[in-house]
Amino acid sequence: MSPDAPGTGDVPDLADELATELDRLYALPLEQFVVARTAAARRVKASGDAVGAARVARLTKPTVAAWVVNQVARSHPDQVAALVTLGDELRTATTDRDRGRITALDRLRRERTDALVGEVRSAGEVAGRAVSAGTVDRLAETLTAAVMDPDAGALVRSGRLGQALQHVGFGIVDEGGEPADVVTLRDEVAARRSRTRGTTSTGDAGADADADPVAEAEREVAETAAEVDRLEAARDEADARVREAGDVVGQVEDELGTIEDELARLADERDAARARLADANDARARAQDALATLDDELDTATDRAAAARKARRAARPPR
């Protein structure tokens, strides 16, 4: 990832427009970077800066950790600037061999870094995106690198990192452990921020000589990058559709689970009703048997009563 330097022609205007596009691009949610990068490259090209457009087109999507650092640099500019300034003071104290000052400044560095990192850790998110403990660790490492190395500090303050940084004692490396070319990046950031022709004219003189072949090569890179962008955008869209389909599947599975639970409940109620019906039928059968027995006993009693009456009449003396 390397931000673009000013092109030829109306340098300050092009630099301003390119800087605005880059600031807008790196401030976006991470998942919007690829599509927005293509649109930004087209706008820069339409402004007349073909070389700048090609360089925008080949910018790599920041890692999650780098994106978090960029957002923190935007949301806490004063704290980040204070850390970078502290690095300048540390280097001065080191040059002066002022051990007491070095110790005090290093303690202050840790306190300021811990305070800023602690805010992010406590919030658990940056710009609405949840951050893991590992990402917070990368943030702390990058802020430390920004203090220890002036070029890394300038790059972190720009808010346009492609990868998180780490100070390893002998220099600055990126997340993959490879040396980070922060000097080149720092110079290009500084050049972009220049707002006068006098500041940029010297640096552009050499570029003008190679403008045509560089522009041709950059155009080829831009075409390839545009195809990569198209494929990445298609992949992102496919991923989004998969997520949406997954959400629908999850919703349907939840509804199916609810229906199955309801069916199970109704089946239990049905079985219970059937059991109650069987008990009722048994009770009715027993009642019918009891009624039949009572009818038989009543008939027998009626017969006995009739016989008794007949016997009584027969036993009466004649008048």
Side-chain angles (χ1 to χ4, degrees):
M1 186 273 294
S2 66
D4 184 61
T8 59
D10 194 354
V11 176
D13 292 342
L14 292 179
D16 288 345
E17 184 164 351
L18 182 58
T20 298
E21 290 290 352
L22 290 171
D23 286 337
R24 182 187 300 119
L25 178 62
Y26 283 95
L28 288 172
L30 187 57
E31 60 272 13
Q32 297 179 19
F33 185 90
V34 173
V35 174
R37 179 185 59 194
T38 301
R42 289 172 181 168
R43 287 192 295 269
V44 173
K45 185 174 183 179
S47 73
D49 187 0
V51 174
R55 292 183 175 177
V56 170
R58 72 183 186 202
L59 291 174
T60 58
K61 181 178 178 180
T63 64
V64 172
W67 181 86
V68 167
V69 174
N70 292 338
Q71 306 320 305
V72 169
R74 285 175 168 77
S75 60
H76 299 77
D78 293 340
Q79 289 171 267
V80 173
L83 275 171
V84 174
T85 300
L86 193 61
D88 295 335
E89 296 180 28
L90 266 169
R91 282 182 286 278
T92 299
T94 300
T95 301
D96 296 340
R97 298 183 180 180
D98 188 341
R99 294 184 179 180
R101 181 65 173 160
I102 292 172
T103 300
L105 289 172
D106 191 58
R107 183 184 306 110
L108 184 57
R109 171 190 65 80
R110 289 195 299 270
E111 291 174 354
R112 289 181 177 177
T113 301
D114 291 345
L116 182 52
V117 172
E119 288 185 40
V120 176
R121 195 186 305 276
S122 297
E125 58 87 23
V126 170
R129 185 188 186 98
V131 292
S132 66
T135 298
V136 175
D137 291 341
R138 300 293 84 73
L139 169 63
E141 291 172 354
T142 302
L143 292 176
T144 299
V147 176
M148 304 308 292
D149 186 279
D151 298 322
L155 184 57
V156 169
R157 290 188 65 184
S158 75
R160 298 170 189 170
L161 277 177
Q163 292 198 39
L165 304 175
Q166 184 180 13
H167 184 259
V168 293
F170 55 84
I172 303 297
V173 298
D174 59 25
E175 292 176 66
E178 296 297 325
D181 190 8
V182 293
V183 175
T184 299
L185 297 177
R186 186 277 316 274
D187 291 343
E188 292 183 346
V189 169
R192 271 199 315 278
R193 289 183 173 178
S194 174
R195 294 296 183 267
T196 62
R197 292 179 183 273
T199 303
T200 58
S201 58
T202 302
D204 290 339
D208 289 341
D210 299 329
D212 290 341
V214 170
E216 181 63 26
E218 296 289 1
R219 278 194 294 272
E220 293 179 3
V221 171
E223 292 175 359
T224 304
E227 179 63 14
V228 171
D229 288 346
R230 185 187 66 79
L231 294 175
E232 288 183 344
R235 181 196 61 194
D236 291 344
E237 291 176 2
D239 287 343
R241 288 196 297 270
V242 168
R243 287 194 297 271
E244 291 174 359
D247 292 341
V248 172
V249 169
Q251 181 179 354
V252 172
E253 287 178 343
D254 290 342
E255 293 176 357
L256 179 60
T258 300
I259 293 172
E260 288 176 343
D261 290 342
E262 182 66 13
L263 286 175
R265 185 185 65 80
L266 293 174
D268 291 340
E269 291 183 359
R270 179 197 60 195
D271 293 341
R274 284 177 175 173
R276 290 195 300 272
L277 177 60
D279 291 342
N281 285 332
D282 291 341
R284 182 180 62 180
R286 289 193 298 271
Q288 288 174 340
D289 291 342
L291 179 59
T293 299
L294 290 174
D295 286 341
D296 291 342
E297 291 177 354
L298 180 59
D299 289 343
T300 301
T302 300
D303 290 343
R304 287 200 302 269
R309 285 194 296 272
K310 183 177 180 180
R312 185 181 59 184
R313 285 195 299 270
R316 289 177 183 174
R319 294 179 182 179

